[in-house]
Amino acid sequence: MSITVHDPVRRILAALFILAFLAGWSTHADAHGDKKPDKKGILLVAFGTTVPGADSAYKNIEKKAKEAFPGVEVRMAYSSKIVRHKLAAEKKLKLDSPAEALAKMMNDDFTHVAVQSLQTIPGAEFHDIMATAKAFSGMPKGMKQVEVGLALMATTEDVAKVAEALLASVPKDRKAGEAVVLVGHGTHHPADVYYAALQYHVWKKDPLVFIGTVEGAPSQEDVLAELKKSGVKKAHLMPFLAVAGDHARNDLAGDEPDSWKSVMAGAGIAVTPVLRGTGDASPLADIWIEHLKSAFERLK
Ligand code: CO
């Protein structure tokens, strides 16, 4: 019996053998995970808030990130365990920690992830995100690369840009001679110096805009001394925080005698609180998006 190319049964068998071989080979490669195409993703990491509605600031930044990266999946993670547990208990909301979110992205075949910190300064929260991202970068069977986008204020240029963005987003009904007091979180971390740096850049443009902090420097006492020196009679009190959450509602605009509103009123200043997070203000949210763009560009 002779075998020729004209033998139709042989030709079909040969073709089936080749197909089976190719299918088996590619399945084999997939199982080892080394033939998968690169998949880039974005993870935004915020502290979190339990105040209803305050997360509008995070949603605004998330929306901007999606617009800046069409076709790239954008996920959110929240670094505060207290916030996550409280929302799980009270609202049945299951939010991911940064490590949980990255583990899920690893399992969903992301190879490169840009993690954007929604922190204001590179303090303790930011450095925690850096450490978590580093742990996931190049993890066996995981992501090849995880890059972290800088906090709102990282470089000197950022601080100058934030000063301009803040001045561009002061309340529209502010009249000449009225002050604006912006209160940030403040920290025991060395990055607390950013607030004083910001005050320097703000004062170059507007001597009646004051920067204070709840837990760091400049303190409430520092700002009050400056307000008295300036002789202002009216001030707009605003958070310099990503979200207008608990600190904004209580430490700033609360009715307790030691709130910023009460203390300033006690010094004879008429106070108008403006409860809006910096993440709600486009000129500021855009700076976070710029940092995300440079982190995403570093992915290769
Ligand atoms: Co706090």
Side-chain angles (χ1 to χ4, degrees):
M1 192 177 99
S2 69
I3 303 160
T4 71
V5 285
H6 300 290
D7 181 342
V9 176
R10 284 276 169 181
R11 282 173 68 192
I12 289 165
L13 283 174
L16 282 175
F17 176 76
I18 290 164
L19 281 175
F21 175 78
L22 286 175
W25 186 72
S26 68
T27 306
H28 187 250
D30 273 348
H32 282 255
D34 48 9
K35 291 285 174 195
K36 287 211 182 92
D38 283 351
K39 184 177 170 185
K40 289 179 180 174
I42 289 168
L43 178 65
L44 306 177
V45 180
F47 183 77
T49 179
T50 56
V51 174
D55 62 343
S56 60
Y58 296 148
K59 285 185 180 141
N60 184 43
I61 299 172
E62 188 183 15
K63 186 171 157 274
K64 281 177 178 286
K66 284 176 177 167
E67 282 165 4
F69 295 91
V72 179
E73 203 177 318
V74 178
R75 297 188 182 185
M76 292 284 307
Y78 300 87
S79 62
S80 167
K81 193 191 272 186
I82 295 172
V83 167
R84 291 196 313 272
H85 286 189
K86 205 170 171 213
L87 289 175
E90 292 173 6
K91 303 232 167 81
K92 302 262 173 277
L93 243 152
K94 176 69 188 85
L95 303 175
D96 289 332
S97 71
E100 284 169 329
L102 284 170
K104 283 181 185 173
M105 290 181 94
M106 204 163 97
N107 194 50
D108 293 342
D109 297 326
F110 284 90
T111 55
H112 296 75
V113 177
V115 176
Q116 179 56 48
S117 150
L118 301 188
Q119 270 63 47
T120 299
I121 53 161
E125 287 289 326
F126 174 80
H127 284 90
D128 284 352
I129 295 169
M130 286 288 281
T132 305
K134 195 172 173 225
F136 275 88
S137 196
M139 191 182 276
K141 302 193 180 190
M143 258 100 65
K144 288 178 189 164
Q145 194 187 357
V146 182
E147 285 288 325
V148 178
L150 298 172
L152 184 69
M153 296 193 289
T155 64
T156 299
E157 289 72 33
D158 290 336
V159 182
K161 266 192 218 168
V162 168
E164 292 214 11
L166 284 174
L167 296 174
S169 45
V170 295
K172 291 196 169 47
D173 60 348
R174 177 195 181 200
K175 294 181 189 73
E178 292 177 1
V180 177
V181 176
L182 289 145
V183 185
H185 197 283
T187 174
H188 53 86
H189 189 279
D192 196 48
V193 294
Y194 277 90
Y195 298 102
L198 176 63
Q199 178 69 91
Y200 166 78
H201 285 274
V202 162
W203 272 345
K204 282 208 285 191
K205 312 237 172 201
D206 190 331
L208 291 185
V209 176
F210 302 87
I211 308 293
T213 65
V214 177
E215 292 175 18
S219 65
Q220 190 185 66
E221 217 183 348
D222 293 333
V223 174
L224 202 68
E226 292 295 340
L227 283 169
K228 283 177 181 165
K229 230 196 282 174
S230 73
V232 294
K233 291 279 162 274
K234 194 170 186 301
H236 303 263
L237 176 64
M238 301 173 75
F240 177 56
L241 301 151
V243 293
D246 190 60
H247 284 302
R249 271 144 232 257
N250 298 312
D251 298 300
L252 272 67
D255 293 326
E256 299 75 27
D258 60 347
S259 77
W260 285 68
K261 187 181 80 177
S262 303
V263 169
M264 284 162 67
I269 300 164
V271 184
T272 312
V274 183
L275 292 181
R276 186 189 66 194
T278 49
D280 288 305
S282 269
L284 289 144
D286 288 342
I287 297 171
W288 270 296
I289 299 301
E290 287 308 313
H291 290 180
L292 169 60
K293 283 179 183 165
S294 48
F296 198 86
E297 276 164 21
R298 292 198 299 272
L299 297 176
K300 45 185 173 285

